[in-house]
């Protein structure tokens, strides 16, 4: 998907000849068209891209952004599992991955190697199920290891194309998974959807202060640009796992070498204390003595949706591209995620939607 107003001999990051920044942005330096574009008359009236986006979005009931000021907090994992959960409730769900340089949703939804295709209606999402479609830069790469080295204008142009050229049909929810921070992609998605009403943003964090400091910026970003904060999710809130999933080791003398004694430990428990095998072991991973996300939400007057523990089985489900709710395997994280999603649905009255057939 390329811009129609980009000259053939333009620089890679050309904002487009009709853009307000044409001939003026850093991407225009050294381009043979720089002076022509800078002096060319610009269209007046409404941005035609925003008009086209508004037309596309008329069939979408609710739009939710998933944000975090901090990278590595599990935001894409939450986005994927939220989409899986809503689709399992028989809603029609679309998921847009605007992390242009680090698209991970194709893998998390089991869609690696798939491609987007164009019809007379526009570009078609890649479907996990008949009621769950996904759009991502990951579907446009020749190889998953290829780096995307794009500047702001080109990323902004692709986001607009995702919104105006993809044919979703009737959707109950459009979930937008964003990259870390509060930068070009976030400004562009809000500007592009502004006329169509964004329901709000879910912000994902981890408990430690280094994450919460950045996430506070995300909350303030939403307040400044007029996007409601639907709630904050504290992810990786302590490591929790069934006892039988743990590996037990013993240090050899005073050295750093370890001996695997897992089989011995499990057999010992089977014989001496079998009730221990049914327990879930939990441990704090991050320092949450500062009160974590719950305290931050109180201070910033936003809704705290809940905590999701660091669950190795959830990580495995994400790597394998499957829902953590499907087979009861994620016994620790799935109930926590379900509780958060139920609270989101009730608090913001999404549960009152007429479920699509």
């Amino acid at each position: 998907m390329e811009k129609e107003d980009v000259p053939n001999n333009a620089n890679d990051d050309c904002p487009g000849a009709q853009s307000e920044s044409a001939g003026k942005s850093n991407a225009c330096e050294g381009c043979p068209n720089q002076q022509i574009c800078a002096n060319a008359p610009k269209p007046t009236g409404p941005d035609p891209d925003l008009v086209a986006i508004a037309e596309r979005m008329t069939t979408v009931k609710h739009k939710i952004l998933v944000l975090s000021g901090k990278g590595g907090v599990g935001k894409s994992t939450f986005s994927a599992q939220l989409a899986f959960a809503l689709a399992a409730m028989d809603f029609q769900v679309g998921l847009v991955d605007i992390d242009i340089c680090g698209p991970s949703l194709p893998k998390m939804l089991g869609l690696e190697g798939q491609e987007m295709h164009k019809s007379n209606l526009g570009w078609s999402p890649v479907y996990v199920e008949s009621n769950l479609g996904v759009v991502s830069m990951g579907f446009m790469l020749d190889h998953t290891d290829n780096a995307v080295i794009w500047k702001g204008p080109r990323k902004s142009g692709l986001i607009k194309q995702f919104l105006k050229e993809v044919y979703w049909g009737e959707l109950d929810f459009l979930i937008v998974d964003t990259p870390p921070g509060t930068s070009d992609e976030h400004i562009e998605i809000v500007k592009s959807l502004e006329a169509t009403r964004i329901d709000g943003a879910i912000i994902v964090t981890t408990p430690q202060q280094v994450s919460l400091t950045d996430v506070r910026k995300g909350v303030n970003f939403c307040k400044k640009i007029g996007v409601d904060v639907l709630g904050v999710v504290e992810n990786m809130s302590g490591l929790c796992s069934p006892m039988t999933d743990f590996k037990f080791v013993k240090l050899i003398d005073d050295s750093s070498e370890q001996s695997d004694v897992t089989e011995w430990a499990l057999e010992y428990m089977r014989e001496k204390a079998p009730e221990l095998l049914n327990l879930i072991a939990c441990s704090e991973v991050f320092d949450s003595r500062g009160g974590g996300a719950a305290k931050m939400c109180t201070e910033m007057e936003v809704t705290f949706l809940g905590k999701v523990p660091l669950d190795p089985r959830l990580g495995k489900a994400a790597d394998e591209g499957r829902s953590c709710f499907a087979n009861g395997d994620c016994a620790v994280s799935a109930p926590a995620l379900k509780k958060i999603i139920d609270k989101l649905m009730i608090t913001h009255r999404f549960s009152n939607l007429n479920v699509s057939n």
Side-chain angles (χ1 to χ4, degrees):
M1 295 189 287
E2 296 293 337
K3 289 186 177 182
E4 296 177 356
D5 63 338
V6 174
N8 291 332
N9 57 345
N11 291 346
D12 286 344
D13 296 319
C14 174
Q18 298 300 307
S19 168
E20 287 296 325
S21 59
K24 304 172 186 176
S25 74
N26 292 335
C28 300
E29 293 182 8
C31 177
N33 307 291
Q34 185 172 12
Q35 289 302 316
I36 297 173
C37 291
N39 296 322
K42 302 298 185 290
T44 58
D47 183 338
D49 286 337
L50 299 186
V51 174
I53 290 169
E55 290 175 355
R56 282 290 191 191
M57 293 295 112
T58 56
T59 59
V60 179
K61 294 177 183 175
H62 295 285
K63 306 165 200 72
I64 297 174
L65 310 183
V66 180
L67 308 174
S68 179
K70 180 73 173 172
V73 299
K75 174 181 47 54
S76 293
T77 299
F78 179 81
S79 296
Q81 297 304 323
L82 173 61
F84 275 130
L86 293 174
M89 298 176 195
D90 290 328
F91 291 114
Q92 297 291 328
V93 183
L95 183 55
V96 181
D97 182 0
I98 65 165
D99 192 345
I100 308 299
C101 296
S104 55
L105 286 181
K107 183 173 183 63
M108 290 186 176
L109 289 127
L111 299 172
E112 278 190 304
Q114 300 292 317
E115 296 179 0
M116 294 168 58
H117 298 283
K118 195 169 187 179
S119 70
N120 60 333
L121 295 173
W123 289 87
S124 297
V126 178
Y127 284 91
V128 184
E129 302 286 349
S130 60
N131 65 333
L132 174 53
V134 187
V135 169
S136 172
M137 180 68 187
F139 299 134
M140 304 170 70
L141 300 176
D142 295 331
H143 193 280
T144 55
D145 292 340
N146 288 350
V148 180
I149 309 173
W150 286 9
K151 292 183 180 178
R154 197 170 181 188
K155 290 190 284 187
S156 296
L158 182 64
I159 291 169
K160 280 186 175 182
Q161 288 179 315
F162 279 169
L163 297 175
K164 73 177 181 177
E165 295 184 15
V166 173
Y167 177 70
W168 295 100
E170 297 284 338
L171 283 185
D172 294 306
F173 291 97
L174 183 68
I175 301 165
V176 182
D177 182 43
T178 67
T182 52
S183 190
D184 294 332
E185 295 91 331
H186 309 83
I187 295 169
E188 187 59 54
I189 193 69
V190 172
K191 183 178 73 172
S192 296
L193 292 176
E194 190 173 20
T196 70
R197 198 180 79 83
I198 301 171
D199 288 83
I202 299 170
I203 299 179
V204 182
T205 184
T206 50
Q208 81 273 37
Q209 287 301 313
V210 68
S211 177
L212 291 169
T213 298
D214 287 340
V215 167
R216 286 174 182 270
K217 297 171 186 174
V219 174
N220 284 325
F221 170 81
C222 290
K223 290 181 177 180
K224 285 181 180 179
I225 61 175
V227 173
D228 291 338
V229 176
L230 300 178
V232 176
V233 174
E234 183 178 285
N235 198 23
M236 306 183 195
S237 185
L239 171 66
C240 292
S241 187
M243 285 288 288
T244 51
D245 284 0
F246 277 92
K247 176 182 178 180
F248 296 87
V249 298
K250 182 179 180 181
L251 291 177
I252 299 175
D253 300 325
D254 293 328
S255 70
S256 60
E257 294 185 19
Q258 300 175 343
S259 173
D260 188 340
V261 294
T262 304
E263 287 301 322
W264 170 83
L266 292 176
E267 186 59 33
Y268 188 88
M269 283 187 275
R270 289 189 195 102
E271 292 181 3
K272 305 296 185 181
E275 62 275 12
L276 293 180
L277 297 173
N278 296 321
L279 295 181
I280 304 265
C282 298
S283 175
E284 292 296 327
V285 178
F286 301 114
D287 184 1
S288 58
R289 288 175 296 177
K295 182 180 179 183
M296 182 201 75
C297 288
T298 300
E299 293 171 350
M300 302 196 77
E301 298 181 336
V302 293
T303 301
F304 180 58
L305 290 173
K307 301 180 179 182
V308 182
L310 183 59
D311 179 1
R313 293 189 180 188
L314 175 58
K316 185 179 180 182
D319 280 345
E320 295 175 354
R322 54 186 175 83
S323 169
C324 73
F325 306 101
N327 55 15
D329 183 49
C330 301
V332 175
S333 54
L337 281 164
K338 184 179 185 305
K339 186 176 180 181
I340 286 169
I341 294 167
D342 287 346
K343 183 174 181 178
L344 175 72
M345 299 293 284
I346 293 169
T347 302
H348 299 284
R349 299 183 180 178
F350 295 139
S351 55
N352 293 339
L353 279 170
N354 292 321
V355 176
S356 302
N357 293 319

